[in-house]
């Protein structure tokens, strides 16, 4: 089992794959589907309420002064990724069909992760305070920026959505619960911090519910007639290449700009991640239910690859920092 831990194979993703398999065999339809959709809307609101309640202002303020680092992470997340996403147009339709290419464009518009970016920064010996601030800011900004980027990247292509309408839906379904959760932190913050495992179960259950409803609709719409094993293999390859390019550019930029090793680690891990926790609920708000399944498929695969690669990379950074400097 040592290889399982070393590669950081995400058990939650394995559960998600099981949910996709269940949706493929037993998709929800009719009145059951309508009930699940209402439940999904409530679950997403609860998810972002808890995200807001978990956000510690003290932790953010501790790393807020490191503006150069945050700017580099911001540019990587919301500029570099979208540019690379547009560059992937050369792969469509020869390697990636249009729906999968749209999925990669959506992936490139998303904010960074919070938990895993901070965790890997900590394991590697990076600037944790700056990572908390940078990842949290990315998550908050992404609620506004991601719909705008989706509208810009997808332009008027099929599957795109009206940007102003999307932002309105995002504000009502995601931002309002997030703000209410954060404003409630003085009242429920201690309870939230004390019951982190329960909150994580709630978060993940909400995501699994969205995945089940999305893939149920996608299966009814014939998703597995559009995607075969070769297409999935190309998604894996493209995800590896995309992540590698971002990691190399972030490392090079951090060293060129004179950041120390601790800050370089923060830039590498915060600037290379894309959030599954934000991406799946946001897709459910931005896109028609029938397209959500295929839109989040590249994100699900990229998420696992980023965990595996960054787990190995974090250990390498940690070993390098432990080595005594030559006299």
């Amino acid at each position: 089992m040592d290889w399982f831990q070393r590669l950081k194979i995400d058990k939650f993703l394995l559960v998600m794959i099981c949910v996709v398999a269940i949706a493929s065999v037993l998709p929800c339809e009719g009145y059951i589907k309508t009930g699940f959709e209402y439940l999904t809307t409530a679950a997403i609101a609860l998810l972002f309420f808890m995200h807001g309640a978990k956000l510690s202002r003290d932790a953010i303020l501790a790393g807020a002064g490191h503006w150069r680092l945050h700017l580099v992470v911001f540019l990587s997340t919301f500029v570099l990724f979208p540019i690379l996403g547009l560059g992937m147009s050369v792969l469509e339709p020869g390697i990636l069909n249009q729906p999968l290419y749209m999925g990669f464009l959506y992936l490139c518009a998303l904010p960074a992760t919070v938990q895993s970016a901070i965790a890997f920064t900590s394991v590697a010996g990076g600037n944790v305070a700056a990572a908390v601030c940078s990842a949290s800011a990315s998550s908050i900004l992404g609620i506004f920026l991601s719909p705008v980027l989706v509208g810009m990247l997808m332009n008027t292509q099929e599957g795109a959505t009206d940007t102003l309408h999307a932002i309105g839906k995002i504000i009502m379904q995601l931002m309002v619960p997030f703000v209410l959760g954060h404003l409630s932190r003085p009242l429920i913050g201690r309870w939230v911090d004390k019951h982190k495992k329960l909150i994580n179960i709630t978060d993940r259950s909400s995501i699994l519910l969205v995945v089940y409803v999305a893939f149920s609709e996608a299966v009814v719409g014939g998703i597995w007639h559009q995607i075969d094993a070769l297409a999935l293999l190309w998604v894996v390859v493209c995800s590896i290449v995309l992540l590698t390019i971002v990691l190399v550019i972030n490392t090079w930029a951090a060293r060129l700009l004179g950041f120390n090793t601790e800050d370089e680690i923060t830039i590498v891990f915060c600037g290379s991640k894309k959030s599954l926790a934000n991406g799946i609920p946001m897709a459910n708000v931005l896109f028609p239910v029938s397209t959500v399944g295929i839109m989040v498929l590249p994100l699900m695969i990229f998420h696992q690859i980023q965990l595996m690669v960054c787990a190995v990379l974090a250990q390498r950074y940690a070993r390098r920092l432990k080595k005594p400097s030559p006299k």
Side-chain angles (χ1 to χ4, degrees):
M1 295 295 290
D2 184 51
W3 64 270
F4 189 89
Q5 295 295 332
R6 194 182 305 126
L7 289 177
K8 199 77 178 177
I9 294 177
D10 189 5
K11 294 178 182 178
F12 176 60
L13 190 73
L14 297 179
V15 175
M16 197 179 298
I17 292 171
C18 292
V19 170
V20 172
I22 292 171
S24 299
V25 178
L26 297 171
C28 61
E29 298 182 76
Y31 291 113
I32 296 177
K33 172 191 163 187
T34 302
F36 267 106
E37 286 176 350
Y38 283 120
L39 185 60
T40 298
T41 300
I44 291 173
L46 177 61
L47 172 68
F48 277 82
F49 179 87
M50 289 303 178
H51 279 187
K54 288 189 293 185
L55 187 62
S56 169
R57 268 169 275 189
D58 293 336
I60 293 176
L61 291 173
H66 213 338
W67 66 269
R68 290 177 66 245
L69 181 150
H70 303 318
L71 180 60
V72 174
V73 172
F74 176 87
L75 290 174
S76 176
T77 304
F78 296 114
V79 178
L80 175 61
F81 263 106
I83 289 173
L84 293 174
L86 289 174
M88 292 177 70
S89 62
V90 300
L91 304 177
E92 191 251 336
I95 291 176
L96 297 173
N97 62 31
Q98 204 231 14
L100 287 177
Y101 173 58
M102 291 292 116
F104 271 105
L105 282 181
Y106 175 63
L107 180 159
C108 289
L110 289 173
T113 61
V114 178
Q115 289 91 342
S116 63
I118 295 169
F120 284 128
T121 299
S122 177
V123 169
N127 187 336
V128 176
V132 171
C133 179
S134 195
S136 300
S138 175
S139 182
I140 296 169
L141 289 171
I143 295 177
F144 293 105
L145 283 178
S146 291
V148 175
L149 284 172
V150 167
M152 291 172 61
L153 293 174
M154 296 185 181
N155 201 3
T156 57
Q157 298 183 62
E158 185 180 352
T161 186
D162 179 73
T163 303
L164 291 177
H165 180 64
I167 292 175
K169 290 177 67 178
I170 289 289
I171 290 173
M172 292 304 299
Q173 295 187 38
L174 306 186
M175 193 65 191
V176 170
F178 182 91
V179 172
L180 290 175
H182 190 60
L183 292 176
S184 302
R185 184 169 173 78
L187 299 175
I188 64 173
R190 288 186 180 179
W191 185 89
V192 169
D193 293 338
K194 187 178 179 181
H195 297 86
K196 287 184 178 179
K197 288 186 177 180
L198 177 62
I199 301 302
N200 286 337
I201 291 173
T202 303
D203 286 356
R204 295 188 168 202
S205 298
S206 301
I207 295 171
L208 291 175
L209 183 61
V210 175
V211 168
Y212 175 69
V213 173
F215 272 90
S216 291
E217 184 74 21
V219 167
V220 173
I223 184 174
W224 300 126
H225 296 294
Q226 301 177 54
I227 301 173
D228 55 18
L230 181 60
L232 288 175
L233 177 61
W234 277 121
V235 172
V236 172
V237 172
C238 291
S239 297
I240 292 172
V241 173
L242 177 62
L243 179 61
T244 301
I245 292 172
V246 172
L247 287 171
V248 169
I249 291 177
N250 281 342
T251 304
W252 172 80
R255 294 175 183 177
L256 183 68
L257 294 170
F259 288 99
N260 60 33
T261 303
E262 288 74 17
D263 289 344
E264 175 191 318
I265 289 169
T266 305
I267 290 169
V268 166
F269 289 120
C270 292
S272 63
K273 294 235 177 341
K274 288 296 179 176
S275 176
L276 185 76
N278 282 12
I280 289 181
M282 195 176 291
N284 197 67
V285 176
L286 288 174
F287 305 111
V289 179
S290 59
T291 66
V292 171
I294 198 165
M295 290 298 293
V296 301
L297 192 58
L299 173 62
M300 291 169 60
I301 293 173
F302 184 86
H303 172 79
Q304 179 56 56
I305 291 170
Q306 73 183 8
L307 289 181
M308 295 170 67
V309 172
C310 289
V312 175
L313 193 58
Q315 294 296 334
R316 290 187 63 183
Y317 268 119
R319 286 195 297 268
R320 195 174 84 182
L321 287 177
K322 286 179 182 178
K323 287 182 180 179
S325 56
K327 296 182 180 179

